[in-house]
């Protein structure tokens, strides 16, 4: 009997189905484990590692005096079964086997899992032949090849995996136990430390420190707008950034007409096709379409196991000669990508693109099987990404025509740049990176243009960005932290340990506290050097340049050196961590129930909540963490016995907020002032009843509120109704402020809050109010005329966009209408369908449907209906007339002329007014049409 051992059940099933050929596969369960039998063969799947490395008995007591955390460094390790049912089944079947094939994944981890299975078999059948099947995809061709050309287990590769297992165990267990005990944390609240996760966390913490300590510096940029033949040209001052305001002012003042073209430089730019996917680049690309690193790898694993893509853990970016690319294209012809495949075959580059990394274990990630969107569901997006990347690597480079225009404005040099995609190349099949044309009109050297607009814009330097998951994985790869198989798992572990949060990633207070303490007392743990050295040593095991035991012994020596630094500072480390993560967050007794009030954070928000939650819902809002991290100060409120709170941001003075409850009460007074029925006496009654906020008031039942305040039910109903009205006003103002911040940058002496105060004084409380406000009234709030115009225009556009969405215009079409300048329902309803189709590129029949929806919603007559055939034949008729090019055609469509018949019957006076064509021009066209 031939026993086949795969890494997972799904792989065992697929291998059985492939190898069985025409034979039927019998599937049954033994001891809860799936067993697949065909002919004289049995295929079973593991669950990854079915045994784990652990310490011998006697090390489970964390508080043992005889065996402190340091003793774990030299503790003996053993292997324990983690899946006893699978282990028992392997023992049972292996006894009867006359051949065993290990068919686990071919990488370090897979080879170690294979070795673990090998040892389970050898324990009951010492003499049975054991071979190894290696494959990069679970497809018919690959599996048949792997089993017809078996090899031996690579014990050196497995030893490298074993060394990593042991090193990670002793480093993680000893350091985690030491730090957790020092900080008096236990149970589910331990503080995890690891040789890869700690340097990775330190990178995130160090980046956050850079951001916090960053002091922005002002700079100025000057741009101007001119035009040629009705087409705008935006040029920027050749100096780029001005760091001296006086020089910027002088350049701005010195920029005057005429604007003379001094240089016109045209060129070409080659846009290289992307290289094949390795694991890191796959994760980066997946992140751009919304996948976290862990989720991307989870889906990729599923696709691989089901035979749709090749093995997703690879460092290779060069297709090996053995990979039959033509066969892959033939396979893809059976999918919805058949048209793309045909294009690639027709335009295929002579040699596929290549990256810088090459390895011999697995090829780059590529498609291996036929799939449909219905079959894969949510996983389709990543399958499509892999398919399209593969096609792109076989496609020609894209090409851009570029133009650079140099201009002189009375001694001040300006530059405008433009580009136009001339050959789409690989972009035809890979739509994941935007290719936007920026077309400049034709100008000649010496030509004089008029300056239409001149802007001097003040900006500030920005701090370095936080790491996204994909960017962090790239940096980890560069620094040698972790492996292609584990980097995404390290990030996920940091998230699950609540050391980091958000996207992009930022450290939590506990993550920061642990890292800062380790950096201060044992920086070896937080630097990548140590991990790099161990990773290099484990790579050396694979080629027999060192041994597993030698690497483990060296790591133990390094860890003893770390403990030499840690142990004398145990008490200090514990105090530092506890001080930052516990005491600093407790501000005093809850005014409602008496339990502790603590500062809490979630993403970019922070608030003060009660430890008695959910029985007590008392909470106090705080400004977002962008304004600084909330910490308690030494001052205590004499009224409420609560510590004062301060917001700390590096590079800025602390924001002393005082007693948070006092501030909340004062803040609510402003809200209560907007309630006609609210009096000072009622406000005091609310405080006496421990109702501290408008929100709490709005959520009470009238009968409950009436009883608490000693008022009538009708009075209570009025208060609750008014409270909800004020909350709605606050919500609308909040949306208004969020919208305004997108287009109005803060300036010295003009914060966003100050602008909003100006809005309130002018009666502007929502985005709709901005849209209906005059430019003058907006300017009175502190905006420049340009800012006021932009803000009003964007508000009108947003409202119109929402109106059009509600009417039923699809998002894709809506974008085209807005890009073509049709911003409101009225704009579309008043335009002729032919003009709409011409300007937007949307088909005439679709435009007709959209226009009908809009006119019906506005109560206007339906637009004229034009069929696709009539529109296309009409265009041929018009363009066949002398002098009718794209420009004239646009004017005709604008006037509602879409064929000869409508041209002949048109009123020249009306056309001149609505279409912009002169009467004489139209009469000439009419005469030509009659002929």
């Amino acid at each position: 009997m031939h026993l086949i051992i795969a890494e997972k059940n799904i792989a065992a099933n697929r291998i059985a189905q492939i190898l069985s050929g025409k034979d039927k596969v019998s599937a049954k369960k033994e001891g809860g484990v799936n067993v697949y039998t065909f002919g004289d063969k049995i295929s079973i799947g593991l669950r990854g590692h079915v045994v784990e490395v652990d310490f011998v008995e006697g090390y489970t007591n964390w508080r043992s005096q005889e065996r402190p955390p340091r003793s774990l460094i030299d503790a003996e390790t053993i292997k324990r079964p983690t899946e006893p049912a699978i282990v028992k089944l392997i023992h049972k079947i292996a006894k009867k086997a006359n051949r065993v094939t290990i068919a686990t994944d071919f990488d370090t981890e897979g080879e170690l899992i294979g070795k673990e299975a090998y040892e389970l078999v050898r324990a009951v059948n010492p003499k049975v032949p054991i071979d190894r099947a290696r494959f990069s995809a679970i497809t018919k061709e690959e599996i048949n090849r792997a089993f017809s050309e078996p090899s031996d287990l690579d014990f050196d590769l497995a030893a490298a995996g074993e060394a990593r297992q042991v090193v990670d165990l002793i480093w993680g267990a000893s350091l985690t136990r030491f730090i957790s005990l020092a900080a008096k944390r236990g149970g589910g609240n331990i503080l995890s430390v690891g040789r890869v996760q700690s340097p990775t966390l330190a990178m995130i913490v160090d980046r956050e420190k850079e951001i916090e300590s960053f002091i922005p510096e002002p700079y100025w940029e000057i741009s101007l707008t001119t035009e040629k033949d009705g087409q705008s040209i935006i040029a920027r001052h050749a100096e780029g950034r001005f760091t001296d305001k006086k020089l910027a002012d002088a350049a701005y003042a010195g920029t005057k007409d005429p604007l003379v073209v001094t240089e016109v430089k045209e060129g070409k730019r080659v846009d290289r096709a992307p290289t094949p996917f390795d694991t890191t680049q796959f994760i980066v690309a997946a992140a751009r379409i919304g996948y976290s690193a862990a989720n991307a790898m989870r889906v990729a694993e599923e696709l691989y196991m089901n035979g749709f893509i090749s093995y997703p853990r690879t460092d290779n970016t060069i297709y090996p000669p053995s990979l039959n690319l033509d066969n892959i294209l033939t396979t893809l012809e059976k999918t919805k990508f058949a048209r793309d495949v045909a294009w690639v075959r027709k335009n295929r580059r002579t040699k596929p693109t290549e990256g810088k990394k090459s390895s011999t274990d697995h090829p780059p990630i590529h498609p291996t099987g036929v799939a449909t969107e219905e079959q894969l569901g949510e996983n389709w997006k990543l399958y499509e990404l892999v398919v399209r990347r593969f096609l792109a690597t076989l496609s020609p480079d894209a090409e851009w025509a570029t133009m650079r225009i140099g201009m002189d404005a009375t001694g001040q040099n300006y530059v405008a740049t433009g580009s136009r995609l001339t050959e789409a190349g690989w972009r035809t099949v890979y739509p994941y990176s935007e290719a936007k044309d920026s077309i400049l009109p034709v100008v000649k050297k010496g030509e004089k243009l008029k300056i239409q607009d001149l802007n001097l814009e003040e900006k500030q330097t920005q701090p370095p960005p936080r790491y996204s998951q994909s960017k962090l994985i790239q940096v980890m790869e560069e620094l040698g932290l972790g492996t292609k198989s584990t980097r995404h798992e390290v990030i996920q572990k940091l998230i699950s340990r609540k050391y980091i949060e958000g996207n992009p990633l930022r450290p939590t207070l506990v993550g920061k506290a642990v890292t800062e303490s380790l950096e201060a007392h044992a920086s070896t743990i937080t630097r990548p050097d140590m991990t790099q050295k161990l990773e290099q040593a484990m790579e050396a095991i694979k080629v027999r340049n060192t041994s597993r035991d030698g690497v483990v012994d060296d790591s133990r020596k390094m860890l003893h050196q770390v403990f030499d630094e840690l142990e004398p500072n145990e008490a200090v480390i514990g105090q530092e961590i506890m001080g930052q993560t516990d005491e600093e967050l407790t501000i005093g007794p809850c005014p409602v129930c008496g339990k502790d009030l603590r500062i809490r954070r979630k993403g970019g928000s922070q608030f003060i909540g009660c430890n008695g939650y959910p029985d007590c819902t008392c909470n106090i809002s705080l400004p977002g963490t962008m304004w600084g991290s909330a910490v308690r100060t030494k001052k205590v409120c004499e009224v409420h016995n609560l510590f004062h709170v301060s917001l700390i941001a590096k590079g800025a003075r602390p924001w002393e907020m005082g007693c948070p409850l006092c501030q909340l009460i004062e803040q609510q007074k402003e809200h209560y002032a907007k309630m006609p029925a609210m009096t000072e006496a009622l406000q005091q009654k609310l405080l006496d009843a421990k109702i501290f906020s408008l929100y709490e008031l709005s959520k009470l039942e009238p009968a409950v509120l009436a009883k608490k305040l000693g008022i009538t039910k009708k009075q209570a109903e009025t208060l609750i109704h008014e409270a909800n009205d004020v909350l709605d006003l606050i919500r609308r103002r909040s949306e208004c402020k969020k919208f305004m911040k997108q287009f109005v940058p803060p300036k010295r002496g003009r914060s966003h809050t100050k602008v909003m105060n100006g809005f309130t004084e002018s009666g502007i409380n929502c985005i709709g109010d901005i849209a209906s406000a005059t430019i003058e009234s907006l300017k009175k709030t502190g905006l420049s005329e340009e800012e006021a115009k932009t803000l009003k225009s964007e508000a009108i556009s947003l409202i119109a966009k929402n109106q059009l969405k509600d009417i039923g215009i699809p998002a894709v079409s809506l974008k085209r209408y807005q890009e073509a300048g049709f911003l409101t329902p009225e704009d579309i309803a008043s335009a002729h369908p032919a003009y709409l189709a011409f300007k937007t590129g949307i088909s005439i029949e679709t435009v007709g449907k959209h226009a009908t929806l809009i006119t019906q919603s506005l109560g206007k007559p339906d637009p004229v209906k034009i069929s696709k055939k009539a529109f296309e034949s009409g265009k041929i008729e018009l363009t066949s007339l002398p002098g009718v090019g794209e420009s004239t055609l646009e004017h005709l469509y604008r006037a509602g002329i879409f064929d000869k018949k409508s041209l002949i019957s048109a009123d020249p006076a009306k056309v001149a007014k609505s279409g912009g064509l002169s009467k004489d021009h139209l009469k000439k066209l009419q005469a030509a049409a009659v002929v």
Side-chain angles (χ1 to χ4, degrees):
M1 180 264 293
H2 181 187
L3 172 62
I4 299 166
I5 302 175
E7 190 160 322
K8 292 181 180 177
N9 173 61
I10 189 172
N13 185 15
R14 280 193 54 78
I15 289 170
Q17 299 295 337
I18 291 168
L19 294 179
S20 63
K22 295 180 180 179
D23 294 342
K24 185 178 178 182
V25 176
S26 169
K28 63 178 182 178
K29 283 186 180 286
E30 285 193 36
V33 182
N34 289 303
V35 178
Y36 304 97
T37 305
F38 55 102
D40 68 338
K41 297 179 176 64
I42 293 177
S43 177
I44 62 173
L46 307 172
R47 287 179 188 155
H49 292 284
V50 294
V51 296
E52 68 176 2
V53 176
D54 198 2
F55 298 109
V56 295
E57 292 295 333
Y59 289 90
T60 55
N61 183 2
W62 280 42
R63 301 184 185 280
S64 169
Q65 296 295 317
E66 293 77 25
R67 291 179 170 174
R70 185 169 190 153
S71 68
L72 292 170
I73 300 175
D74 298 310
E76 186 183 346
T77 60
I78 58 172
K79 289 187 176 181
R80 300 183 192 279
T82 55
E83 300 287 345
I86 296 177
V87 170
K88 184 178 179 181
L89 182 62
I90 290 175
H91 282 162
K92 176 184 173 182
I93 299 175
K95 286 178 183 177
K96 305 172 186 176
N98 53 32
R99 179 187 172 190
V100 176
T101 299
I102 305 295
T104 51
D105 292 343
F106 179 37
D107 61 6
T108 304
E109 200 72 11
E111 210 69 12
L112 176 56
I113 293 169
K115 187 196 172 197
E116 291 165 357
Y118 174 95
E119 290 171 342
L120 292 174
V121 171
R122 279 281 175 258
V124 296
N125 194 340
K127 295 183 179 180
V128 64
I130 302 176
D131 55 38
R132 177 77 161 97
R134 294 194 173 93
F135 44 86
S136 293
I138 306 181
T139 60
K140 184 177 179 180
E141 296 77 10
E142 270 285 280
I143 295 300
N144 283 327
R145 180 202 56 75
F147 277 81
S148 64
E149 302 171 2
S151 56
D152 295 324
L153 200 67
D154 188 337
F155 289 96
D156 296 315
L157 185 60
E162 235 170 1
R164 180 176 283 107
Q165 248 187 357
V166 176
V167 169
D168 286 347
L169 173 68
I170 60 176
W171 278 74
S174 59
L175 290 170
T176 294
R177 194 172 292 192
F178 176 85
I179 294 295
S180 297
L181 290 173
K184 295 181 171 54
R185 303 278 286 259
N189 207 25
I190 63 169
L191 297 175
S192 172
V193 182
R195 70 174 186 90
V196 178
Q197 76 172 49
S198 294
T200 303
L201 175 59
M203 285 197 298
I204 299 169
V205 171
D206 290 344
R207 176 56 57 89
E208 196 68 19
K209 288 179 181 178
E210 287 181 68
I211 294 169
E212 290 173 351
S213 62
F214 183 83
I215 300 174
E217 296 181 0
Y219 66 91
W220 294 263
E221 291 182 341
I222 306 173
S223 63
L224 61 78
T225 303
T226 183
E227 63 123 24
K228 171 73 183 295
D229 296 333
Q231 190 174 345
S232 289
I233 303 173
I234 297 173
R236 303 191 181 281
H237 199 285
E239 184 68 22
R241 290 185 178 186
F242 288 88
T243 54
D244 187 322
K245 180 66 164 61
K246 291 181 180 178
L247 292 177
D249 287 337
Y252 179 79
T255 301
K256 299 181 185 301
D257 282 325
L259 186 63
V260 181
V261 177
T262 57
E263 176 192 44
V264 178
K265 190 174 182 180
E266 295 185 66
K268 289 184 179 180
R269 175 168 61 84
V270 175
D271 190 356
R272 303 290 181 194
T275 57
F277 271 148
D278 65 353
T279 301
T280 299
Q281 289 307 312
F282 167 73
I283 288 172
V284 170
R288 293 186 181 128
I289 57 173
Y291 285 83
S292 68
N295 200 23
M297 290 306 294
R298 177 189 63 77
V299 173
E301 181 74 14
E302 287 182 25
L303 293 173
Y304 159 69
M305 285 291 182
N306 284 285
F308 297 124
I309 68 171
S310 63
Y311 192 60
R313 295 178 176 87
T314 176
D315 287 326
N316 204 347
T317 57
I318 299 175
Y319 296 129
S322 59
L323 186 64
N324 194 321
L325 304 180
D326 287 316
N327 281 357
I328 298 173
L329 288 173
T330 301
T331 298
L332 294 176
E333 284 176 341
K334 302 166 189 171
T335 69
K336 68 176 289 184
F337 305 104
R339 184 179 295 179
D340 296 304
V341 172
W343 184 90
V344 170
R345 285 194 186 279
K346 184 179 178 181
N347 299 278
R348 187 168 171 178
R349 64 192 300 133
T350 54
K351 185 181 179 183
T353 60
E354 294 182 351
K356 295 180 180 178
K357 293 185 293 179
S358 176
S359 63
T360 57
D361 52 356
H362 292 286
I365 303 169
H366 62 274
T368 57
V370 175
T372 64
E373 195 165 352
E374 294 73 26
Q375 186 179 10
L376 296 184
E378 283 297 311
N379 293 355
W380 169 262
K381 286 204 297 183
L382 281 185
Y383 173 73
E384 181 178 15
L385 176 68
V386 172
V387 169
R388 292 194 174 282
R389 182 63 164 237
F390 171 75
L391 293 176
T393 63
L394 305 182
S395 299
D397 296 335
E399 291 183 6
W400 295 77
T402 60
M403 179 181 282
R404 184 180 188 276
I405 301 174
M407 292 173 273
D408 178 273
T410 58
Q412 298 297 326
N413 293 321
Y414 286 81
V415 176
T417 57
S419 59
R420 178 171 54 86
L421 188 63
T422 54
E423 294 290 341
W426 60 273
R427 291 181 175 277
T428 305
V429 295
Y430 195 77
Y432 301 101
S433 58
E434 190 178 9
K436 193 172 182 180
D437 288 344
S438 175
I439 300 173
L440 295 175
V442 176
V443 294
K444 295 179 181 178
K445 185 175 180 180
E447 190 171 346
K448 294 182 179 180
L449 304 171
K450 185 175 178 58
I451 298 173
Q452 292 183 322
D453 194 18
L454 182 65
N455 289 304
L456 173 61
E457 191 174 2
E458 181 179 350
K459 296 183 178 180
Q460 288 185 327
T461 54
Q462 298 297 308
R466 293 186 175 92
Y467 291 112
S468 64
Q469 289 193 25
S470 56
K471 180 61 178 176
L472 184 61
I473 284 175
Q474 285 180 294
V475 177
M476 289 172 72
E477 183 180 37
E478 291 167 8
L479 295 176
L481 291 175
T483 69
K484 58 183 179 290
S485 302
T486 62
R487 291 180 188 113
H488 65 282
E489 294 172 351
V490 170
I491 295 173
Q492 200 58 38
K493 183 178 285 188
L494 290 173
I495 293 171
S496 65
R497 295 291 187 193
K498 297 181 181 176
Y499 282 169
I500 58 176
E501 61 187 6
N503 188 25
L505 302 167
R506 66 172 73 205
T508 61
L509 191 66
V510 66
K512 194 174 180 182
V514 169
T515 299
E516 288 179 345
S517 191
L518 289 175
E519 283 180 335
H521 302 289
S523 60
T524 302
I525 304 170
T526 60
R527 291 198 306 263
D529 313 49
M530 166 272 300
T531 295
Q532 284 175 351
K533 186 176 179 181
L534 287 173
E535 290 292 346
Q536 289 165 2
M538 285 182 272
E539 287 298 312
I541 295 174
K542 297 177 185 179
V543 291
R544 299 186 181 184
N545 286 342
T546 187
S547 67
R548 166 200 174 279
D549 292 341
V551 171
V552 172
D553 287 343
D554 287 345
S555 77
R556 283 181 167 133
K557 292 173 186 175
M558 293 168 67
L559 193 48
H560 273 299
Q561 293 172 357
V562 169
F563 268 83
D564 288 342
E565 297 174 322
L566 287 176
E567 285 180 331
N569 298 296
E570 182 176 0
V572 177
I573 291 169
Q575 289 170 2
E576 287 173 349
I577 295 173
M578 287 188 294
Q580 287 193 60
T581 60
D582 187 40
E583 185 179 352
E584 188 180 37
L585 301 179
T586 303
I587 66 164
C590 172
V592 178
C593 72
K595 292 185 178 178
D596 282 345
L597 283 179
R598 287 172 58 84
I599 297 169
R600 303 178 187 277
R601 296 183 179 86
K602 188 175 183 181
S605 63
Q606 52 190 349
F607 64 97
I608 295 168
C610 180
N611 272 0
Y613 180 83
D615 296 327
C616 177
T617 57
C618 177
N619 75 82
I620 303 169
S621 296
L622 294 170
T625 53
M626 63 177 290
W627 297 102
S629 296
V631 296
R632 77 176 202 184
T633 68
K634 294 181 179 180
K635 292 182 181 178
V636 178
C637 175
E638 295 178 0
V639 179
H640 302 112
N641 197 32
L642 298 176
F643 280 98
H644 285 200
V645 170
S646 177
L647 296 184
I648 304 296
K650 292 277 182 79
R653 291 182 180 180
W655 178 1
E656 302 292 344
M657 296 185 63
C659 169
L661 187 53
C662 286
Q663 188 184 66
L664 176 65
I665 292 168
E666 285 302 310
Q667 185 185 60
Q668 298 309 301
K669 286 180 180 178
E670 295 178 22
H671 300 328
Y672 291 145
K674 300 180 180 73
M675 296 171 58
M678 184 61 74
T679 64
E680 288 188 14
L682 283 173
Q683 288 184 43
Q684 188 56 51
K685 284 186 177 183
L686 287 170
L687 294 177
D688 293 341
K690 297 183 179 178
I691 301 170
F692 296 106
S693 72
L694 193 70
Y695 178 78
E696 293 173 75
L697 170 59
S698 72
K699 293 299 178 184
L700 289 172
E701 292 293 328
V704 174
L705 180 62
K707 185 177 180 181
K708 284 179 176 285
L709 302 189
I711 59 178
T712 66
K713 187 178 178 182
K714 188 173 182 181
Q715 284 178 300
E717 287 173 346
T718 301
L719 287 175
I720 292 168
H721 178 75
E722 290 180 356
N724 278 297
D725 285 345
V726 174
L727 284 171
D728 183 59
L729 177 64
I730 293 168
R731 178 189 59 77
R732 286 187 286 119
R733 283 182 177 170
S734 176
E735 289 175 352
C736 185
K737 183 176 182 179
K738 187 177 179 180
F739 173 76
M740 176 268 294
K741 287 168 72 175
Q742 296 178 65
F743 308 103
V744 179
K747 293 182 180 179
R748 187 170 294 175
R750 189 194 73 177
S751 65
H752 287 132
T753 301
K754 193 170 182 178
V755 174
M756 277 306 299
N757 290 339
F759 279 8
T760 303
E761 291 170 8
S762 300
I764 300 171
N765 295 311
C766 63
I767 298 171
D769 292 341
I770 295 175
S772 59
T774 64
I775 297 298
E776 288 304 314
S777 63
L778 289 172
K779 285 170 65 178
K780 287 178 182 177
T781 66
L783 306 185
S784 68
E785 184 161 353
E786 184 66 27
E787 288 170 336
K789 287 179 179 177
T790 299
L791 195 63
K792 180 179 173 70
S793 172
E794 293 291 344
I796 292 170
S797 176
L798 179 62
I799 291 170
K801 187 175 181 179
N802 291 334
Q803 287 174 337
L804 289 168
K805 275 184 181 177
D806 293 340
I807 288 169
I809 308 303
V812 175
S813 299
L814 182 56
K815 184 179 179 183
R816 290 196 184 183
Y817 284 124
Q818 296 219 315
E819 286 175 347
F822 303 104
L823 304 180
T824 67
E826 289 78 8
D827 290 341
I828 297 173
S830 61
H832 193 277
Y835 185 56
L836 290 170
F838 177 82
K839 293 292 287 183
T840 63
I842 301 171
S843 73
I844 188 69
E845 291 174 343
T846 302
V847 162
K849 290 175 185 177
H850 293 165
T852 300
L853 286 172
I854 293 167
T855 53
Q856 288 176 354
S857 72
L858 297 175
K860 294 185 176 184
D862 287 348
V864 61
K865 290 185 178 179
I866 308 171
S867 69
K868 181 181 179 182
K869 185 177 180 181
F871 185 61
E872 289 176 350
S873 62
K875 182 178 180 181
I876 293 170
E877 289 175 0
L878 293 175
T879 53
S880 67
L881 298 174
V884 177
E886 289 290 303
S887 177
T888 303
L889 193 62
E890 179 178 344
H891 288 296
L892 292 172
Y893 283 157
R894 189 172 182 181
I897 297 169
F898 59 91
D899 58 10
K900 279 188 178 182
K901 184 179 178 181
S902 55
L903 171 62
I904 293 168
S905 62
D907 182 342
K910 289 182 179 179
V911 172
K913 187 176 181 181
S914 60
L917 279 178
S918 69
K919 293 180 185 179
D920 291 340
H921 191 178
L922 185 69
K923 287 177 180 178
K924 287 180 182 178
L925 292 176
Q926 287 175 322
V930 171
V931 174

